[in-house]
Amino acid sequence: MKKYKYPSVLTIAGFDGSGGAGIQADIKTASALGCFSTSVLTALPVQNTQGVRKYIRFLWKQ
């Protein structure tokens, strides 16, 4: 079996429900460039087709 090595990319971004921006777009771009993505989610919007109602920010504590 042949082993492949892919460069790893860390993306730190918010979520976009449409998939056209944010963390999803970063992962798609990295994949298109032949990279393996790991991600850290920083914000999660509550939205529908009418717009964003609110967003939830993630706070990290040590």
Coordinates of all heavy atoms in Angstrom, one line a residue:
M1 N 0.8 -1.2 0.0 CA 0.0 0.0 0.0 C 0.9 1.2 0.0 O 1.8 1.4 0.8 CB -0.9 0.0 1.2 CG -1.8 1.2 1.2 SD -2.9 1.3 2.4 CE -3.8 1.1 3.4
K2 N 0.5 2.2 -0.9 CA 1.3 3.4 -1.0 C 0.9 4.4 0.1 O -0.3 4.6 0.3 CB 1.1 4.0 -2.4 CG 2.1 5.1 -2.7 CD 2.0 5.5 -4.1 CE 2.9 6.6 -4.4 NZ 2.9 7.1 -5.8
K3 N 1.8 5.0 0.8 CA 1.5 6.1 1.8 C 1.7 7.4 1.2 O 2.6 7.7 0.4 CB 2.4 5.9 3.0 CG 2.1 4.7 3.8 CD 2.8 4.7 5.1 CE 2.5 3.4 5.9 NZ 3.1 3.4 7.2
Y4 N 0.8 8.3 1.5 CA 0.8 9.7 1.0 C 1.1 10.6 2.2 O 0.6 10.4 3.3 CB -0.5 10.1 0.3 CG -0.7 9.3 -1.0 CD1 -1.6 8.2 -1.0 CD2 -0.2 9.7 -2.2 CE1 -1.8 7.5 -2.1 CE2 -0.4 9.0 -3.3 CZ -1.2 7.9 -3.3 OH -1.5 7.2 -4.4
K5 N 1.8 11.7 1.9 CA 2.0 12.7 2.9 C 1.4 14.0 2.4 O 1.7 14.5 1.3 CB 3.5 12.9 3.2 CG 4.1 11.9 4.1 CD 5.3 12.4 4.7 CE 5.7 11.4 5.8 NZ 6.7 12.0 6.7
Y6 N 0.5 14.6 3.2 CA -0.2 15.8 2.9 C 0.2 16.9 3.9 O 0.3 16.6 5.1 CB -1.7 15.7 2.9 CG -2.3 14.6 1.9 CD1 -2.6 13.4 2.3 CD2 -2.4 15.0 0.6 CE1 -3.1 12.4 1.4 CE2 -2.9 14.1 -0.3 CZ -3.3 12.8 0.1 OH -3.8 11.9 -0.8
P7 N 0.5 18.1 3.4 CA 0.7 19.2 4.4 C -0.5 19.4 5.2 O -1.7 19.3 4.7 CB 1.0 20.4 3.5 CG 1.3 19.9 2.1 CD 0.6 18.5 2.0
S8 N -0.4 19.7 6.5 CA -1.5 20.1 7.3 C -1.6 21.6 7.4 O -0.7 22.3 7.5 CB -1.2 19.5 8.7 OG -1.3 18.1 8.7
V9 N -2.9 22.0 7.5 CA -3.2 23.4 7.6 C -4.2 23.6 8.7 O -5.2 22.8 8.8 CB -3.9 23.9 6.2 CG1 -4.4 25.3 6.4 CG2 -3.0 23.8 5.1
L10 N -3.9 24.6 9.6 CA -4.9 24.9 10.7 C -5.6 26.2 10.3 O -5.0 27.2 10.0 CB -4.1 25.1 12.0 CG -4.9 25.7 13.2 CD1 -6.0 24.6 13.6 CD2 -4.0 26.0 14.3
T11 N -6.9 26.1 10.3 CA -7.7 27.3 10.0 C -8.5 27.6 11.3 O -9.1 26.7 12.0 CB -8.7 27.1 8.8 OG1 -9.4 28.2 8.6 CG2 -9.6 25.9 9.0
I12 N -8.5 28.9 11.6 CA -9.3 29.4 12.8 C -10.3 30.4 12.2 O -9.9 31.4 11.7 CB -8.3 30.1 13.8 CG1 -7.3 29.1 14.3 CG2 -9.1 30.6 15.0 CD1 -6.2 29.7 15.1
A13 N -11.6 30.0 12.3 CA -12.6 30.9 11.6 C -14.0 30.6 12.2 O -14.2 29.7 13.0 CB -12.6 30.6 10.1
G14 N -14.9 31.4 11.8 CA -16.3 31.3 12.2 C -17.0 30.4 11.2 O -16.5 30.1 10.1
F15 N -18.2 30.0 11.5 CA -19.1 29.2 10.7 C -19.9 30.1 9.8 O -20.4 31.1 10.2 CB -20.0 28.3 11.6 CG -20.9 27.4 10.8 CD1 -20.5 26.2 10.3 CD2 -22.2 27.8 10.6 CE1 -21.3 25.4 9.6 CE2 -23.1 27.0 9.9 CZ -22.6 25.7 9.4
D16 N -20.1 29.7 8.5 CA -21.0 30.4 7.6 C -22.0 29.3 7.1 O -21.6 28.4 6.4 CB -20.2 31.0 6.4 CG -21.1 31.6 5.4 OD1 -22.1 32.2 5.8 OD2 -20.9 31.4 4.2
G17 N -23.3 29.6 7.4 CA -24.3 28.6 7.0 C -24.4 28.4 5.5 O -24.9 27.3 5.1
S18 N -24.1 29.3 4.7 CA -24.2 29.1 3.2 C -23.0 28.3 2.7 O -23.1 27.8 1.6 CB -24.2 30.5 2.5 OG -22.9 31.1 2.6
G19 N -21.9 28.2 3.5 CA -20.8 27.4 3.0 C -19.9 28.2 2.1 O -18.8 27.7 1.6
G20 N -20.2 29.4 1.8 CA -19.4 30.2 0.9 C -18.3 31.0 1.5 O -17.5 31.6 0.8
A21 N -18.2 31.0 2.8 CA -17.2 31.7 3.5 C -16.9 31.0 4.8 O -17.4 29.9 5.1 CB -17.6 33.2 3.8
G22 N -16.0 31.6 5.6 CA -15.7 31.0 6.9 C -15.0 29.7 6.8 O -14.2 29.4 5.9
I23 N -15.2 28.9 7.8 CA -14.4 27.7 8.0 C -14.6 26.7 6.9 O -13.6 26.0 6.4 CB -14.6 27.0 9.4 CG1 -13.4 26.4 9.9 CG2 -15.8 26.2 9.4 CD1 -13.4 26.2 11.4
Q24 N -15.8 26.6 6.3 CA -16.0 25.7 5.2 C -15.2 26.0 4.0 O -14.7 25.2 3.3 CB -17.5 25.6 4.8 CG -18.4 25.1 5.9 CD -19.0 26.3 6.7 OE1 -18.3 27.3 7.0 NE2 -20.3 26.1 7.1
A25 N -15.2 27.3 3.7 CA -14.4 27.8 2.5 C -12.9 27.6 2.7 O -12.2 27.2 1.7 CB -14.7 29.3 2.2
D26 N -12.5 27.7 3.9 CA -11.0 27.5 4.2 C -10.7 26.0 4.0 O -9.7 25.7 3.4 CB -10.7 27.9 5.6 CG -10.8 29.4 5.9 OD1 -10.9 30.1 4.9 OD2 -10.7 29.8 7.1
I27 N -11.6 25.1 4.4 CA -11.3 23.7 4.3 C -11.4 23.3 2.8 O -10.5 22.5 2.3 CB -12.3 22.9 5.1 CG1 -12.0 23.1 6.6 CG2 -12.3 21.4 4.8 CD1 -13.1 22.5 7.5
K28 N -12.3 23.8 2.1 CA -12.4 23.5 0.6 C -11.2 24.0 -0.1 O -10.7 23.3 -1.0 CB -13.7 24.2 0.1 CG -15.0 23.4 0.5 CD -16.2 24.2 0.2 CE -16.5 24.4 -1.3 NZ -17.8 25.1 -1.5
T29 N -10.7 25.2 0.2 CA -9.5 25.8 -0.4 C -8.3 24.9 -0.1 O -7.5 24.6 -1.0 CB -9.3 27.2 0.0 OG1 -10.4 28.0 -0.3 CG2 -8.1 27.8 -0.7
A30 N -8.1 24.6 1.1 CA -7.0 23.7 1.5 C -7.0 22.4 0.8 O -6.0 21.9 0.3 CB -6.9 23.5 3.0
S31 N -8.2 21.8 0.7 CA -8.3 20.5 0.0 C -8.0 20.6 -1.5 O -7.3 19.8 -2.0 CB -9.7 20.0 0.2 OG -9.9 18.8 -0.5
A32 N -8.4 21.7 -2.1 CA -8.1 21.9 -3.5 C -6.6 22.1 -3.8 O -6.1 21.8 -4.8 CB -8.9 23.2 -4.0
L33 N -5.9 22.6 -2.7 CA -4.5 22.8 -2.8 C -3.7 21.5 -2.4 O -2.5 21.6 -2.3 CB -4.1 24.0 -2.0 CG -4.6 25.3 -2.5 CD1 -4.3 26.4 -1.5 CD2 -4.0 25.6 -3.9
G34 N -4.4 20.4 -2.1 CA -3.8 19.2 -1.7 C -3.3 19.1 -0.3 O -2.4 18.4 0.1
C35 N -4.0 19.8 0.6 CA -3.7 19.9 2.0 C -4.7 19.2 2.9 O -5.9 19.1 2.5 CB -3.5 21.3 2.5 SG -2.2 22.2 1.7
F36 N -4.3 18.7 4.1 CA -5.2 18.2 5.1 C -5.6 19.3 6.0 O -4.7 20.0 6.5 CB -4.6 17.0 5.8 CG -5.4 16.5 6.9 CD1 -6.5 15.6 6.6 CD2 -5.2 16.8 8.2 CE1 -7.2 15.1 7.6 CE2 -5.9 16.3 9.2 CZ -7.0 15.4 9.0
S37 N -6.8 19.5 6.3 CA -7.3 20.6 7.2 C -7.6 20.2 8.6 O -8.3 19.2 8.8 CB -8.5 21.4 6.6 OG -8.1 22.0 5.4
T38 N -7.2 21.0 9.6 CA -7.7 20.9 10.9 C -8.3 22.3 11.2 O -7.9 23.3 10.6 CB -6.6 20.5 11.9 OG1 -5.6 21.5 11.8 CG2 -6.1 19.2 11.7
S39 N -9.3 22.3 12.1 CA -10.0 23.6 12.2 C -10.4 23.9 13.7 O -10.6 22.9 14.5 CB -11.3 23.6 11.4 OG -12.1 22.6 11.7
V40 N -10.5 25.2 14.0 CA -11.0 25.6 15.3 C -12.1 26.6 15.0 O -11.9 27.6 14.3 CB -9.8 26.4 16.0 CG1 -10.4 27.0 17.3 CG2 -8.7 25.5 16.3
L41 N -13.3 26.3 15.5 CA -14.5 27.1 15.3 C -14.5 28.2 16.3 O -14.4 27.9 17.5 CB -15.7 26.2 15.4 CG -17.0 26.8 15.0 CD1 -17.0 27.2 13.5 CD2 -18.1 25.8 15.2
T42 N -14.7 29.4 15.9 CA -14.7 30.6 16.8 C -16.1 31.2 17.0 O -16.3 31.9 18.0 CB -13.8 31.7 16.3 OG1 -14.2 32.1 15.0 CG2 -12.3 31.2 16.2
A43 N -17.0 31.0 16.1 CA -18.3 31.6 16.2 C -19.4 30.8 15.4 O -19.0 30.1 14.4 CB -18.4 33.0 15.7
L44 N -20.6 30.8 15.9 CA -21.7 30.0 15.3 C -22.9 30.9 15.2 O -23.5 31.3 16.2 CB -22.0 28.8 16.1 CG -23.1 27.9 15.6 CD1 -22.7 27.2 14.3 CD2 -23.4 26.8 16.7
P45 N -23.2 31.3 13.9 CA -24.4 32.2 13.8 C -25.7 31.5 13.8 O -25.8 30.3 13.4 CB -24.2 32.9 12.4 CG -23.4 31.8 11.7 CD -22.5 31.1 12.7
V46 N -26.8 32.1 14.3 CA -28.1 31.6 14.3 C -28.8 32.4 13.1 O -29.0 33.6 13.3 CB -28.8 31.8 15.6 CG1 -30.3 31.4 15.5 CG2 -28.1 31.1 16.7
Q47 N -29.0 31.8 12.0 CA -29.5 32.5 10.9 C -30.5 31.7 10.0 O -30.6 30.4 10.2 CB -28.4 33.0 10.0 CG -27.6 31.8 9.3 CD -26.4 32.3 8.6 OE1 -25.5 32.9 9.2 NE2 -26.3 32.1 7.3
N48 N -31.2 32.4 9.2 CA -32.1 31.7 8.2 C -31.9 32.5 6.9 O -31.0 33.4 6.8 CB -33.5 31.6 8.6 CG -34.1 32.9 9.0 OD1 -33.7 34.0 8.5 ND2 -35.2 32.9 9.8
T49 N -32.8 32.3 5.9 CA -32.7 33.1 4.7 C -33.0 34.5 4.8 O -32.7 35.3 3.9 CB -33.7 32.5 3.6 OG1 -35.0 32.5 4.1 CG2 -33.3 31.0 3.3
Q50 N -33.6 35.0 5.9 CA -33.9 36.4 6.1 C -32.7 37.1 6.7 O -32.7 38.4 6.7 CB -35.1 36.5 7.1 CG -36.3 35.9 6.5 CD -36.8 36.6 5.3 OE1 -36.9 37.8 5.2 NE2 -37.1 35.8 4.2
G51 N -31.7 36.4 7.3 CA -30.6 37.1 7.9 C -30.1 36.4 9.2 O -30.7 35.4 9.6
V52 N -29.1 37.0 9.8 CA -28.5 36.5 11.0 C -29.3 37.1 12.2 O -29.6 38.3 12.3 CB -27.0 37.0 11.2 CG1 -26.5 36.5 12.5 CG2 -26.2 36.4 10.0
R53 N -29.8 36.2 13.1 CA -30.6 36.6 14.2 C -29.7 36.9 15.4 O -29.9 37.9 16.2 CB -31.6 35.5 14.6 CG -32.5 35.2 13.6 CD -33.6 36.3 13.4 NE -34.5 35.9 12.4 CZ -35.0 36.7 11.5 NH1 -34.7 38.0 11.5 NH2 -35.9 36.3 10.7
K54 N -28.7 36.1 15.6 CA -27.7 36.3 16.6 C -26.5 35.4 16.3 O -26.6 34.6 15.4 CB -28.2 36.1 18.0 CG -28.4 34.7 18.4 CD -28.9 34.6 19.9 CE -28.8 33.2 20.4 NZ -29.2 33.0 21.8
Y55 N -25.4 35.6 17.1 CA -24.3 34.7 16.9 C -23.8 34.3 18.3 O -24.0 35.0 19.3 CB -23.2 35.3 16.1 CG -22.4 36.4 16.7 CD1 -21.3 36.1 17.5 CD2 -22.9 37.7 16.7 CE1 -20.6 37.2 18.1 CE2 -22.2 38.7 17.3 CZ -21.0 38.4 18.0 OH -20.4 39.5 18.6
I56 N -23.2 33.1 18.4 CA -22.7 32.6 19.6 C -21.1 32.5 19.5 O -20.6 31.9 18.5 CB -23.2 31.1 19.9 CG1 -24.7 31.2 19.9 CG2 -22.6 30.6 21.1 CD1 -25.4 29.8 19.9
R57 N -20.5 33.3 20.3 CA -19.0 33.3 20.3 C -18.5 32.3 21.3 O -19.0 32.1 22.4 CB -18.6 34.7 20.8 CG -17.4 35.2 20.2 CD -17.1 36.7 20.5 NE -17.7 37.1 21.8 CZ -17.0 37.8 22.7 NH1 -15.9 38.3 22.4 NH2 -17.6 38.2 23.8
F58 N -17.5 31.6 20.9 CA -16.9 30.6 21.8 C -15.7 31.2 22.5 O -14.8 31.8 21.9 CB -16.4 29.4 21.0 CG -17.5 28.6 20.3 CD1 -17.6 28.6 18.9 CD2 -18.5 28.0 21.1 CE1 -18.7 27.9 18.3 CE2 -19.5 27.3 20.5 CZ -19.6 27.3 19.1
L59 N -15.7 31.1 23.8 CA -14.6 31.7 24.6 C -13.8 30.5 25.2 O -14.4 29.6 25.8 CB -15.1 32.6 25.7 CG -15.9 33.8 25.2 CD1 -16.5 34.5 26.5 CD2 -15.1 34.7 24.4
W60 N -12.5 30.5 25.0 CA -11.6 29.5 25.5 C -11.0 30.0 26.8 O -10.5 31.1 26.9 CB -10.5 29.2 24.5 CG -10.9 28.2 23.5 CD1 -10.6 26.9 23.4 CD2 -11.8 28.4 22.3 NE1 -11.2 26.3 22.3 CE2 -11.9 27.2 21.6 CE3 -12.4 29.6 21.8 CZ2 -12.7 27.1 20.5 CZ3 -13.2 29.4 20.7 CH2 -13.3 28.2 20.0
K61 N -11.1 29.1 27.8 CA -10.5 29.4 29.1 C -9.4 28.4 29.4 O -9.6 27.2 29.1 CB -11.5 29.4 30.2 CG -12.6 30.5 30.0 CD -13.6 30.4 31.1 CE -14.6 31.5 30.9 NZ -15.7 31.5 31.9
Q62 N -8.3 28.8 30.0 CA -7.3 27.9 30.3 C -7.4 27.5 31.8 O -7.8 28.2 32.6 CB -5.9 28.5 30.0 CG -5.7 28.6 28.6 CD -4.3 29.1 28.3 OE1 -3.5 29.5 29.1 NE2 -3.9 29.0 27.0

